[in-house]
């Protein structure tokens, strides 16, 4: 028997068991595909429910805004309806928006029907009358439109808590279902029913027989929908024998609203795809087997010894760690040649992975260095802000005491101003180290850039000429000032590095309106009104290839150790997180320009901010427990609070403060530093203190906090007074904290 025949028989025998195992695997894959399709059915139902839940939350936010609109606070029915009609045009997902008087009668509506309706019998109206600050939801058929809608009601109350009127938005369930039906490419049926089994939205498929408004109560499908936690999906057959597989959304909030969302798919269609895949996999296995046998037949006819020797030499080289070794061309055909190619590609891949690991190790070292710098910056900022608090407070005292000596009073004011500039510098350092969460505020970007001029000029150096073009009458934007400072610093640093021999840098801020033809760095149009901040340099510029990767994390063209490659990616992420976009232009030798666009913030009409002198806090009389580890800061705060009329108990750490709280005596507020030595920080002290005295109010103060401070009950962000602070800020925050209602 020839070698070729022996090898062929050996391969056939060796292939039997794998072929059987692969065939069994194909059968298992078919079952897995069916399970995946069923899981996708459940996921689709949950996804639709999640989208509807987001729509409800969005409507609640709309109600919150409308409740404060002056146009609704009127008894002019026509004007009220006209205003709601304008709002309805901006939100086509609602069939109508209306207001209901406390007696249950319709007052005005966006459809301007001028009808009189008594809505006392509606469940949402009965429920919403007892709510404060939240919405009531009920699926019904609208009396004005006859469409199936989700009624979302919100109680608008006076400052005394009395119900003024009820805002009602009718969310169109038909359009909502049509959108998801298109999104699912009509492969699945969407069914919406209420808690009684009434069909609100019927599937578009021809197999469904119950019309909108009909009832499926008592059916097997309704019994399944009523207890969705018992089984994830169920097969339901109709009268003609068609079997449909249904999944129900498991969202508790949607079901609490009295709405059930089901997604179904014909069983035949679900199995057909899995069966087709099984046949395709079997055919591929058969073809692969035939090709393998043919390859073995050809391989047996040529000399394999030399080729095996080349493979062995390559394996030895790899075993010695020589990843640069390769099997030279030409390679023979068949499996041996494929194995040689595979070994070469494997060696090349391992060599690339080794280089990538070395590069990643370097980047990790850089990242750890930046993290260490951030920790150091935070510690320095904490101590520095404590010193600035004392300096700023005593400077204010001196300014008050030296009111009769203008020159000395000016010196005291200069000390206070210098302290505030030191505080600004500390915040800039913290922002650069990315140790502050995003806290957007309504700001004038030009004012922020103006405050950074001195810092930017120091950063650039004397060899670079820096100019600023700040347009007048800029729109306001909702931006985190510290993160904006970080972004500008990153752009200026990149521009400086691109001009090692000097040059010009221009910073521009102006209003701009973008159209559909204006694209961001991802090629997406983002039309609208924006405040643009541009940083332009006359540096070396970038090639097209480098420009295309400029915003990728860890991508940098600088020398090793000169940068982490995170600067522009941080700028891009900040702009997108702020709702804006980024544009960048650059050519080799022509310099670069980076433009950041922040959305225009619409300012409410006829709202003028109160002058600073009108915002004053009255003197107090309550007892305040002060916890501050720094002796100078504690003495300053104690002096200020006594001057404001408060009774003071001062301690230097958390355990001492808890001992005070365990003793009898009235204490209305705990005023504590966030970061303190001894193992107990301010948040933990507040949690234990409110446990001892549930009615105790809490006000935090800190010069540096790496993560947001939460309230003792962990419901939201706590009230915090940032160091250094002025006397008026201390007085105002104390009154605000003491006036806050108990949770």
């Amino acid at each position: 028997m020839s070698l070729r025949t022996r090898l062929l028989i050996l391969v056939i025998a060796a292939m039997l068991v794998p072929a059987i195992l692969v065939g069994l695997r194909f059968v298992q894959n078919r079952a897995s595909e069916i399970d995946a399709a069923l899981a996708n059915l459940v996921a689709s139902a949950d996804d639709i429910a999640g989208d509807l839940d987001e729509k409800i939350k969005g409507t609640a936010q709309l109600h919150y805004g409308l409740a404060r609109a002056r146009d609704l606070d009127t008894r002019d029915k026509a004007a009220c309806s006209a205003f709601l009609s304008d709002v309805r045009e901006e939100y086509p997902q609602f069939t109508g928006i209306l207001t209901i008087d406390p007696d249950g009668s319709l007052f005005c509506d966006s459809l301007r029907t001028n009808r009189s309706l008594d809505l006392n019998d509606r469940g949402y109206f009965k429920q919403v009358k007892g709510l404060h600050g939240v919405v009531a939801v009920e699926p019904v058929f609208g009396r004005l439109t006859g469409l199936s809608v989700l009624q979302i009601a919100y109680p608008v109350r006076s400052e005394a808590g009395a119900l003024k009127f009820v805002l009602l938005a009718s969310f169109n369930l038909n359009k909502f279902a049509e959108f998801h039906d298109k999104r699912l490419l009509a492969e699945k049926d969407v069914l919406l029913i209420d808690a009684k089994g009434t069909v609100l939205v019927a599937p578009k498929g021809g197999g469904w027989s119950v019309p909108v408004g009909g009832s499926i109560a008592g059916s097997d499908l309704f019994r399944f929908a009523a207890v969705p936690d018992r089984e994830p999906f169920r097969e339901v057959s109709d009268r003609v024998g068609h079997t449909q597989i249904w999944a129900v959304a498991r969202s508790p909030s949607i079901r609490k609203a009295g709405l059930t969302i089901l997604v179904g798919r014909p069983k035949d269609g679900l199995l057909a795809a899995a069966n087709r895949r099984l046949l395709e996999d079997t055919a591929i296995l058969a073809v692969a087997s035939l090709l393998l046998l043919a390859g073995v037949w050809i391989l047996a006819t040529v000399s394999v010894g030399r080729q095996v020797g080349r493979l062995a030499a390559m394996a030895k080289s790899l075993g010695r760690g020589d990843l640069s070794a390769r099997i030279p061309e030409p390679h023979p055909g068949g499996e041996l040649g494929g194995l040689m190619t595979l070994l070469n590609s494997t060696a090349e891949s391992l060599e690339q992975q080794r280089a990538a690991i070395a590069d990643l190790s370097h980047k990790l070292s850089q990242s750890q260095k930046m993290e260490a710098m951030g920790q150091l910056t935070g510690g320095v900022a904490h101590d520095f802000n404590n010193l600035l608090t004392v300096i700023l407070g005593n400077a204010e005292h001196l300014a008050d005491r030296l009111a009769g000596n203008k020159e000395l009073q000016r010196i005291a004011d200069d000390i206070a101003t210098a302290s505030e500039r030191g505080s600004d510098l500390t915040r800039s350092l913290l922002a650069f180290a990315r140790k502050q969460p995003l806290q957007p505020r309504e700001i004038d970007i030009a004012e922020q850039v103006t405050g950074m001029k001195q810092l930017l000029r120091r950063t650039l150096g004397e060899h670079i000429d820096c100019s600023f073009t700040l347009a007048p009458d800029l729109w306001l934007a909702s931006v985190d000032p510290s993160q904006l400072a970080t972004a500008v610093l990153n752009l200026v640093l990149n521009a400086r590095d691109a001009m090692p021999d000097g040059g010009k840098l221009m910073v521009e801020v102006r209003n701009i309106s973008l159209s559909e033809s204006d694209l961001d760095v991802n090629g997406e149009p983002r039309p609208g009104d924006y405040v643009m901040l541009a940083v332009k340099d006359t540096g070396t510029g970038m090639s097209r290839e480098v420009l295309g990767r400029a915003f990728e994390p860890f991508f940098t063209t600088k020398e090793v150790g000169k940068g982490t490659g995170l600067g522009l990616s941080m700028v891009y992420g900040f702009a997108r997180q702020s709702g804006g976009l980024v544009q960048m232009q650059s050519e080799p030798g022509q310099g670069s320009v980076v433009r950041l666009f922040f959305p225009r913030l619409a300012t409410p009409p006829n709202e003028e901010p109160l002058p600073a002198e009108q915002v004053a806090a009255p003197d107090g009389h309550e007892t305040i427990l002060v916890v501050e580890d720094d002796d100078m800061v504690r003495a300053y705060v104690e002096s200020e609070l006594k001057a404001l009329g408060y009774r003071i108990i001062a301690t230097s750490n958390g355990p001492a403060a808890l001992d005070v709280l365990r003793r009898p005596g009235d204490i209305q507020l705990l005023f504590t530093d966030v970061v303190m030595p001894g193992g107990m920080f301010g948040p933990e002290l507040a949690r234990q203190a409110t446990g001892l005295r549930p009615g105790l109010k809490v006000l935090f103060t800190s010069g540096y906090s790496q993560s947001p401070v939460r309230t003792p009950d962990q419901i939201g962000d706590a009230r915090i007074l940032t160091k250094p602070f002025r006397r008026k800020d201390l007085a105002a925050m104390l009154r605000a904290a003491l006036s806050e209602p108990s949770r």
Side-chain angles (χ1 to χ4, degrees):
M1 187 178 294
S2 66
L3 176 62
R4 179 171 53 189
T5 304
R6 291 174 183 272
L7 186 58
L8 190 61
I9 293 174
L10 180 62
V11 170
I12 293 174
M15 285 177 56
L16 286 177
V17 173
I20 294 173
L21 294 176
V22 171
L24 293 176
R25 181 60 179 174
F26 288 165
V27 174
Q28 292 178 351
N29 288 342
R30 175 183 178 275
S32 298
E33 287 190 9
I34 294 174
D35 292 340
L38 294 174
N40 178 262
L41 205 62
V42 177
S44 296
D46 290 338
D47 180 55
I48 295 174
D51 185 32
L52 183 57
D53 192 47
E54 290 297 322
K55 295 295 189 297
I56 294 173
K57 293 178 181 178
T59 305
Q61 293 177 354
L62 173 63
H63 280 333
Y64 182 82
L66 290 177
R68 285 148 183 81
R70 297 182 178 180
D71 299 81
L72 291 183
D73 193 9
T74 178
R75 297 310 298 174
D76 187 339
K77 190 171 185 178
C80 176
S81 297
F83 172 72
L84 289 181
S85 178
D86 292 339
V87 174
R88 159 64 178 75
E89 290 182 1
E90 296 182 12
Y91 298 92
Q93 66 268 36
F94 301 115
T95 61
I97 304 175
L98 51 88
T99 63
I100 307 170
D101 284 336
D103 61 359
S105 60
L106 172 65
F107 178 66
C108 63
D109 69 275
S110 60
L111 299 179
R112 303 188 187 183
T113 59
N114 202 25
R115 293 179 56 183
S116 297
L117 290 178
D118 185 0
L119 301 172
N120 278 293
D121 60 333
R122 287 296 196 181
Y124 62 80
F125 183 73
K126 297 177 181 178
Q127 182 184 358
V128 79
K129 290 195 296 183
L131 299 179
H132 293 262
V134 295
V135 296
V137 182
E138 181 185 13
V140 297
F141 289 96
R143 290 182 177 175
L144 298 178
T145 62
L147 299 175
S148 57
V149 296
L150 191 64
Q151 302 287 35
I152 306 174
Y154 178 81
V156 180
R157 301 184 179 275
S158 65
E159 294 181 357
L163 182 64
K164 297 171 62 178
F165 58 88
V166 173
L167 262 171
L168 179 68
S170 301
F171 182 75
N172 193 329
L173 291 177
N174 289 301
K175 286 188 177 180
F176 176 77
E178 288 176 2
F179 167 77
H180 283 283
D181 188 63
K182 292 178 181 178
R183 184 177 63 84
L184 297 174
L185 302 177
E187 293 182 354
K188 303 180 181 71
D189 295 328
V190 179
L191 171 64
L192 303 183
I193 61 174
D194 64 13
K196 297 180 180 179
T198 304
V199 177
L200 300 173
V201 177
K204 301 298 182 181
W208 182 260
S209 59
V210 181
V212 173
S215 176
I216 64 170
S219 66
D220 188 38
L221 179 59
F222 182 73
R223 286 190 291 272
F224 160 66
V227 283
D229 298 330
R230 184 174 299 173
E231 52 185 327
F233 47 80
R234 178 179 293 185
E235 296 183 9
V236 179
S237 300
D238 57 18
R239 297 176 181 175
V240 295
H242 293 148
T243 302
Q244 190 94 346
I245 301 178
W246 290 94
V248 61
R250 295 163 292 186
S251 171
S253 60
I254 297 300
R255 298 187 63 81
K256 184 178 179 181
L259 182 64
T260 301
I261 300 175
L262 298 106
V263 176
R265 184 176 181 182
K267 183 178 180 180
D268 294 341
L270 185 144
L271 297 178
N275 292 334
R276 182 172 61 254
R277 181 62 181 272
L278 176 61
L279 293 176
E280 292 174 353
D281 290 343
T282 304
I284 292 173
L285 176 62
V287 172
S289 300
L290 292 176
L291 291 176
L292 179 60
L293 291 175
V296 172
W297 184 269
I298 296 173
L299 177 65
T301 61
V302 298
S303 175
V304 297
R306 184 174 61 89
Q307 309 300 343
V308 172
R310 297 173 69 189
L311 289 170
M314 177 67 175
K316 290 180 180 179
S317 297
L318 293 178
R320 291 193 299 266
D322 182 10
L323 299 181
S324 63
R326 301 289 187 273
I327 300 177
E329 299 281 355
H331 294 166
E335 285 75 11
L336 281 178
L339 182 57
M340 291 179 181
T341 303
L342 178 61
L343 280 174
N344 280 348
S345 62
T346 300
E348 183 178 355
S349 176
L350 290 173
E351 191 173 23
Q352 293 174 353
Q353 290 179 23
R354 175 184 287 177
I357 290 173
D359 182 57
L360 184 61
S361 176
H362 173 70
K363 291 178 179 178
L364 178 60
S365 176
Q366 288 289 96
S367 177
Q368 290 173 339
K369 183 190 300 183
M370 292 298 291
E371 181 66 21
M373 291 175 61
Q375 294 292 341
L376 177 61
T377 302
V380 171
H382 177 267
D383 294 337
F384 190 47
N385 280 330
N386 277 340
L387 295 175
L388 288 176
T389 299
V390 178
I391 295 172
L392 180 60
N394 286 319
E396 284 190 309
H397 273 302
L398 287 174
D400 292 342
R401 298 288 180 86
L402 299 173
N405 190 325
K406 297 301 181 182
E407 183 176 355
L408 293 179
Q409 187 184 40
R410 180 186 59 79
I411 293 175
D413 290 336
D414 288 343
I415 295 173
T417 301
S419 299
E420 291 184 332
R421 289 182 179 177
S423 175
D424 292 338
L425 177 61
T426 303
R427 283 194 292 269
S428 297
L429 292 173
L430 287 174
F432 185 76
R434 293 178 293 136
K435 295 300 181 182
Q436 288 183 339
L438 197 61
Q439 298 177 347
R441 298 205 313 265
E442 300 177 9
I443 65 170
D444 184 333
I445 293 180
E447 290 184 1
Q448 294 296 121
V449 173
T450 300
M452 295 181 64
K453 284 184 179 180
Q454 186 176 359
L455 175 62
L456 296 180
R457 287 196 171 98
R458 287 199 306 267
T459 301
L460 289 170
E462 296 181 355
H463 65 296
I464 296 177
D465 182 25
C466 181
S467 62
F468 297 84
T469 303
L470 308 177
D473 301 324
L474 287 174
W475 297 321
L476 294 180
S478 180
V479 182
D480 187 320
S482 63
Q483 295 297 336
L484 177 64
T486 301
V488 175
L489 276 173
N490 274 316
L491 296 178
V492 170
L493 288 171
N494 281 348
R496 181 196 65 185
D497 294 341
M499 298 183 288
D501 299 325
K504 294 182 179 181
L505 182 135
M506 290 73 75
V507 179
E508 180 186 8
V509 182
R510 63 184 174 91
N511 298 329
I512 191 170
S513 296
L514 301 183
S515 64
E516 290 286 345
S517 60
D518 297 306
L519 308 179
D520 67 0
V521 293
N522 292 327
E524 299 177 0
R526 300 283 295 279
D529 294 335
Y530 295 88
V531 180
M532 183 198 73
L533 188 152
V535 177
K536 183 177 181 180
D537 64 69
T538 58
T540 56
M542 290 179 280
S543 65
R544 183 183 299 272
E545 180 182 359
V546 173
L547 181 62
R549 300 186 59 192
F551 291 97
E552 291 183 10
F554 295 113
F555 176 77
T556 178
T557 57
K558 299 177 182 178
E559 299 177 5
V560 175
K562 296 294 185 180
T564 63
L566 292 172
L568 286 178
S569 62
M570 291 166 57
V571 171
Y572 171 79
F574 161 66
R576 291 300 298 266
Q577 188 177 358
S578 300
L581 64 147
V582 181
Q583 291 180 351
M584 187 172 186
Q585 296 175 346
S586 183
E587 293 183 8
Q590 301 298 319
S592 305
V593 56
V594 180
R595 298 182 178 90
L596 307 183
F597 299 86
F598 300 98
R600 173 186 183 181
L601 184 65
T603 304
N606 301 325
E607 289 190 6
E608 296 293 337
L610 291 175
E613 59 271 17
Q614 295 181 11
V615 182
D619 291 344
H621 59 278
E622 294 89 348
T623 300
I624 298 177
L625 175 58
V626 177
V627 187
E628 170 61 58
D629 61 284
D630 189 285
D631 295 338
M632 291 190 296
V633 176
R634 186 171 65 254
Y636 160 68
V637 171
E638 187 175 357
S639 174
E640 288 289 348
L641 295 182
K642 287 181 178 178
L644 291 172
Y646 295 101
R647 295 189 296 273
I648 306 304
I649 302 175
T651 61
S652 60
N653 55 64
L658 292 176
D659 290 340
V660 172
L661 291 171
R662 292 188 183 99
R663 297 195 294 266
D666 290 336
I667 298 176
Q668 283 73 37
L669 182 136
L670 170 66
F671 182 50
T672 177
D673 195 4
V674 173
V675 180
M676 295 185 294
M680 180 178 289
F681 282 11
E684 175 61 20
L685 169 61
R687 187 186 67 81
Q688 295 191 31
T690 53
L692 292 172
R693 300 196 179 196
L696 184 67
K697 307 294 178 60
V698 179
L699 174 61
F700 292 99
T701 181
S702 178
Y704 160 70
S705 179
Q706 187 169 353
S707 57
V709 179
R710 307 288 291 178
T711 57
D713 53 13
Q714 300 296 311
I715 292 179
D717 291 343
R719 190 185 300 274
I720 184 167
L721 178 61
T722 304
K723 297 177 183 177
F725 46 79
R726 286 187 174 271
R727 181 188 308 148
K728 62 180 182 181
D729 299 325
L730 174 62
M733 288 291 282
L734 282 172
R735 291 318 310 167
L738 287 166
S739 302
E740 187 178 51
S742 300
R743 294 186 181 275

